[in-house]
Amino acid sequence: MSVIDKKSIQSIRLLDDVIVIGWLNTWYQEDIEDLLSVIVSLSNDIEIVEKLIGADRESIRITWQQQFYFVLHFDFYSQSCWIDGEDHHSSNNLPALLDDIMVDRDE
């Protein structure tokens, strides 16, 4: 990917119990830090807690509004990016998180 910014996001949607984020272009594992920065920039209430780096997947634990806990996943081989709740309380707030990150998106 050349420039990674908010316009690089193709779609953000709630699918079952996860928020799925689609990107316009193919990305590489070394792009994950830039992709992460774009997602975090979508809300003033997202904070990174911990990064878990695997061979082909990176999972980033985040908080939202300092009370809800989510995991943002990037899977290089499937080109998948999604957010799920760490607990029942957080999972129930996925629609509210989706609304928040959609507000500042440049369409």
Side-chain angles (χ1 to χ4, degrees), residues 45-88:
D45 293 325
I46 293 176
E47 294 182 22
I48 297 170
V49 175
E50 176 184 26
K51 295 179 183 178
L52 307 167
I53 300 171
D56 62 343
R57 177 185 292 179
E58 293 190 26
S59 299
I60 295 91
R61 292 182 63 236
I62 60 174
T63 60
W64 179 63
Q65 296 184 344
Q66 298 180 337
Q67 61 180 325
F68 304 107
Y69 297 88
F70 300 98
V71 181
L72 170 59
H73 303 274
F74 294 95
D75 186 280
F76 168 68
Y77 288 115
S78 66
Q79 290 287 292
S80 301
C81 178
W82 72 97
I83 301 171
D84 58 15
E86 270 199 351
D87 54 48
H88 185 69

Side-chain angles (χ1 to χ4, degrees), residues 1 8 14 18 20 23-24 29 31-32 38 45 53-54 57 59 61 75 83-84 87 92 95 100 106-107:
M1 269 181 148
S8 303
L14 189 62
V18 299
V20 178
W23 300 91
L24 289 172
Q29 194 148 6
D31 295 323
I32 290 175
V38 169
D45 293 325
I53 300 171
R57 177 185 292 179
S59 299
R61 292 182 63 236
D75 186 280
I83 301 171
D84 58 15
D87 54 48
N92 286 341
D100 184 41
D106 296 333
E107 295 291 347

Side-chain angles (χ1 to χ4, degrees), residues 3-53:
V3 175
I4 299 174
D5 58 18
K6 291 179 186 179
K7 293 178 183 174
S8 303
I9 298 173
Q10 180 176 34
S11 63
I12 302 176
R13 62 191 170 99
L14 189 62
L15 181 65
D16 298 323
D17 293 333
V18 299
I19 294 173
V20 178
I21 302 167
W23 300 91
L24 289 172
N25 298 311
T26 301
W27 49 270
Y28 301 94
Q29 194 148 6
E30 49 272 5
D31 295 323
I32 290 175
E33 195 65 36
D34 293 332
L35 300 172
L36 173 61
S37 294
V38 169
I39 294 170
V40 170
S41 76
L42 296 175
S43 171
N44 292 328
D45 293 325
I46 293 176
E47 294 182 22
I48 297 170
V49 175
E50 176 184 26
K51 295 179 183 178
L52 307 167
I53 300 171

